[in-house]
Amino acid sequence: MSSTIAFWAVIVLLTSGALGVVLSREAMRLTLSFGVFLLGVAASFLYFGLAFLAVAQLFVYVGGVLILVLFALMMVRRGDGDKLLMEVRWDWAAAVTASAVTVLIVTVLAPEFTTTVPAPGAADSGAMASVLLEHYLPAFEIAGALLLVAVLAVLVIVGRGDER
Amino acid sequence: MSILVACAFVFGAGLFVVLSRRDVIGVLIGLELMLGGANVLLVALATVSGQDASTTQSLGLMVLVMAAAEAAVGLALLIAAFKRTGRSQVDEFGEVTG
């Protein structure tokens, strides 16, 4: 019973966060809705028993990416104290495309999901370490290299921009 | 089934945000919605199909790393565009088209 409640709480967090991002016009509300969604993602990992992934999600996204987005918002915000409003266009072509992709995903993957509420899982983080460092070591190294390249790219992109 | 519908909805919402917003931050957050929804769906699919939990967790971690790198580069592009033009709209990137 408690796992069912936890599952539906995860679903509510995920969908309400995404809906908030779609509907928000004010930048800070958009970011807060994004934060709710990220918490929902971490909660879903926790529900499936992937505690390490949930903590990584919290540290990397809620503690890192969300703060970076807030810094970027503060930087592009005008100095007159007004709220940073974003243009929300109700583009029908975009709505139809997004709906079609949603229906396609559900249609294709529906046979794989036989139960309404999947059973909560449990994972051993120590076992994950051995899987990563034994079976998937090349992928692990490539992921580290990707992060290093991303850091260098950020330095190059931000470092050589012309001042307006 | 409900997790599938929720993740597909999140992915569709992200796609709609990417296609309809003009602010770089909005587009970036839309991309993150798509990646987050796909990651949860990947983990859910691996769990319901009986995959090893350690492998599932490793796979989710890889997607997390890629999404974090994408967010960092995207925000750097936003700051570079703002430094050049004083605006944060996706139209500012028009000059990089071939």
Side-chain angles (χ1 to χ4, degrees):
Chain A
M1 182 63 188
S2 60
S3 68
T4 307
I5 294 171
F7 176 77
W8 287 109
V10 166
I11 296 288
V12 167
L13 276 176
L14 283 173
T15 50
S16 63
L19 208 56
V21 169
V22 171
L23 298 177
S24 297
R25 196 164 162 257
E26 209 260 304
M28 198 54 77
R29 286 189 184 174
L30 179 91
T31 312
L32 287 177
S33 300
F34 181 52
V36 171
F37 166 74
L38 293 178
L39 285 177
V41 173
S44 71
F45 292 153
L46 207 55
Y47 176 80
F48 288 116
L50 311 176
F52 179 82
L53 204 53
V55 172
Q57 171 80 16
L58 279 179
F59 281 5
V60 173
Y61 269 97
V62 184
V65 173
L66 200 59
I67 300 297
L68 275 180
V69 170
L70 285 174
F71 276 145
L73 270 181
M74 286 161 63
M75 195 169 168
V76 301
R77 190 172 175 160
R78 292 153 189 83
D80 52 9
D82 287 344
K83 289 178 178 175
L84 181 62
L85 295 179
M86 293 179 168
E87 183 188 357
V88 178
R89 294 183 312 136
W90 287 104
D91 190 340
W92 287 105
V96 169
T97 307
S99 305
V101 169
T102 304
V103 170
L104 185 68
I105 292 171
V106 172
T107 309
V108 169
L109 292 178
E112 303 291 334
F113 291 86
T114 50
T115 58
T116 305
V117 180
D124 179 13
S125 295
M128 187 200 77
S130 69
V131 165
L132 267 181
L133 296 176
E134 288 172 12
H135 301 289
Y136 300 117
L137 185 61
F140 186 65
E141 297 283 353
I142 290 170
L146 176 75
L147 281 178
L148 186 65
V149 169
V151 169
L152 292 176
V154 167
L155 288 175
V156 170
I157 291 169
V158 176
R160 74 174 178 194
D162 296 330
E163 294 290 341
R164 62 183 155 127
Chain B
M1 184 67 184
S2 46
I3 189 84
L4 168 64
V5 174
C7 289
F9 171 76
V10 167
F11 190 90
L15 184 61
F16 175 74
V17 169
V18 168
L19 293 176
S20 63
R21 298 248 182 189
R22 283 289 164 266
D23 290 270
V24 179
I25 290 185
V27 172
L28 266 178
I29 290 181
L31 278 173
E32 293 297 331
L33 277 189
M34 293 169 71
L35 277 167
N39 201 8
V40 174
L41 189 55
L42 189 72
V43 165
L45 190 59
T47 305
V48 298
S49 59
Q51 291 292 320
D52 178 35
S54 306
T55 308
T56 305
Q57 195 154 230
S58 308
L59 204 58
L61 193 66
M62 293 298 158
V63 178
L64 201 73
V65 166
M66 281 189 285
E70 176 263 326
V73 174
L75 286 170
L77 283 173
L78 162 70
I79 290 172
F82 185 74
K83 278 167 76 177
R84 284 171 66 94
T85 64
R87 297 175 69 228
S88 59
Q89 306 285 308
V90 284
D91 307 330
E92 309 303 332
F93 298 110
E95 65 184 67
V96 298
T97 52

